[in-house]
Amino acid sequence: MHILTIGAGGMLGRKLTERLVRDGLAGQPVHSLTLVDIVAPDAPVGFANKTDCVAADLSAPGTAARLIALRPDVIFHFAAIVSGEAEADFEKGYRINLDGTRDLFEAIRMAHVLDGYCPRVVFASSIAVVGAPLPYPIPDEFHSTPLTSYGTQKAISELLLADYSRHGFFDGIGIRLPTICIRPGLPNKAASGFFSNILREPLVGKPAVLPVPDTIRHWHTSPRSAVGFMIHAATMDLSVLGARRSLSMPGLSATVGDQIEALRRVAGDEAVALIRREPDAAITAMCEGWAPGFTATRARELGFTAEDSFDDIIRAHIEDELEGAL
């Protein structure tokens, strides 16, 4: 079992690698890992088998072909410019999020033509492929009408994934990830970062800025569940998907107020007092067009699962990032 992870240096890529090293994949041990990112990822601790940590830009000419020449059995594709940065830097967003993905798919197609190579491809997509006006909850059949460059790049990639899979060049599945909360580490350039900030920082005694009203509602899942989605996608029977290769994942619909009350229940009033309200009209206007929640019926029927409460999401963060204690 040889696994290639593109975007392995990111938060989800690192956590996926840890899970693969610990548990293998579908009961099979992983014999080889190729971990790729713009900066070479760290080698996983405790993995005795072959690991290649590669610094590479997927959108650079020849990069995808070199990676596919290794003939990995499963490919996890996380590599992307996040939403806020993709909106601010139009050319960079399309180069990384779309051109890099197309290069990867084309390299696999060329290998398939050469020798019948046909890997499993698990593509990290996003709920940003839908856009306002949105019903609540959003059904699986809702059309893709993204209102951001990032969402557009993911939606185009989903169409490519379905078409290349239809031709049999690879066996692909797109995982529309909810907003990941609570993201560990430092804030990134994602426009949705405050959803994590208002929980992560107070849990360790630091202040956090809330730029939107408590009434803003959004769709969330934990890093733990997101990794579980990717593992399940890599091991399930994809023939049941038919032509509809991308799935909206289960998650938790919650308002910012719901998040804050969950923080109060888990960590107390002292933590909540560290949230500083600084209204930002531009961020609020952006959030009002984001997805409030999905039915995720197809994904649930196919065995994908997520947390049932924000208390559980906060406790998962405490267990995974704070050694189980505040």
Side-chain angles (χ1 to χ4, degrees):
M1 176 72 69
H2 177 194
I3 293 176
L4 166 64
T5 302
I6 304 169
M11 182 271 293
L12 288 181
R14 294 194 305 270
K15 286 184 174 294
L16 173 66
T17 298
E18 292 170 2
R19 182 84 65 88
L20 292 170
V21 168
R22 186 189 72 200
D23 298 338
L25 187 65
Q28 299 183 52
V30 176
H31 296 105
S32 181
L33 287 169
T34 301
L35 307 177
V36 182
D37 215 313
I38 196 69
V39 175
D42 294 331
V45 176
F47 186 64
N49 294 333
K50 179 177 173 59
T51 304
D52 289 318
C53 299
V54 180
D57 179 350
L58 185 63
S59 66
T63 296
R66 288 193 294 272
L67 295 175
I68 296 308
L70 303 171
R71 295 298 191 268
D73 302 293
V74 178
I75 301 168
F76 293 101
H77 179 24
F78 290 103
I81 298 301
V82 295
S83 55
E85 189 174 3
E87 197 69 15
D89 193 331
F90 187 86
E91 292 184 0
K92 183 178 182 181
Y94 271 89
R95 178 173 60 83
I96 300 297
N97 293 347
L98 180 57
D99 296 344
T101 299
R102 175 74 190 282
D103 287 350
L104 175 66
F105 292 176
E106 271 295 284
I108 299 171
R109 184 177 72 87
M110 291 294 97
H112 178 85
V113 171
L114 181 66
D115 59 19
Y117 173 63
C118 187
R120 172 69 57 95
V121 175
V122 182
F123 171 63
S125 188
S126 169
I127 59 173
V129 299
V130 301
L134 295 167
Y136 174 62
I138 301 165
D140 288 325
E141 296 75 19
F142 194 76
H143 45 81
S144 293
T145 50
L147 295 179
T148 63
S149 293
Y150 176 77
T152 301
Q153 292 146 14
K154 290 293 188 180
I156 296 171
S157 297
E158 285 188 0
L159 292 173
L160 293 173
L161 178 95
D163 198 38
Y164 280 63
S165 295
R166 182 177 63 85
H167 280 280
F169 302 137
F170 55 69
D171 198 14
I173 179 171
I175 299 300
R176 292 177 181 169
L177 291 169
T179 289
I180 305 301
C181 189
I182 303 169
R183 297 186 67 93
L186 298 174
N188 62 18
K189 294 183 180 181
S192 58
F194 69 87
F195 287 118
S196 286
N197 300 349
I198 62 170
L199 302 175
R200 182 185 59 237
E201 267 60 48
L203 284 171
V204 293
K206 297 180 180 179
V209 172
L210 174 60
V212 303
D214 288 16
T215 53
I216 290 292
R217 178 177 291 277
H218 196 43
W219 189 238
H220 305 270
T221 198
S222 71
R224 183 188 293 181
S225 288
V227 170
F229 299 157
M230 305 303 282
I231 295 289
H232 187 56
T235 56
M236 65 180 285
D237 176 9
L238 297 190
S239 66
V240 298
L241 296 181
R244 297 165 60 198
R245 286 275 170 163
S246 293
L247 295 165
S248 298
M249 289 293 102
L252 181 67
S253 179
T255 66
V256 169
D258 294 332
Q259 288 185 268
I260 292 171
E261 289 311 306
L263 178 65
R264 192 187 310 277
R265 288 190 295 272
V266 174
D269 292 338
E270 297 83 0
V272 172
L274 292 167
I275 299 172
R276 186 171 66 247
R277 286 173 167 78
E278 296 183 2
D280 186 311
I283 295 177
T284 298
M286 189 184 307
C287 291
E288 287 172 345
W290 289 351
F294 292 77
T295 61
T297 303
R298 290 184 72 213
R300 295 183 197 279
E301 290 176 346
L302 292 170
F304 292 92
T305 61
E307 290 83 9
D308 295 322
S309 74
F310 237 103
D311 301 55
D312 291 338
I313 287 178
I314 294 172
R315 291 191 181 101
H317 177 79
I318 293 170
E319 291 172 7
D320 294 347
E321 306 300 331
L322 304 180
E323 299 181 346
L326 295 177

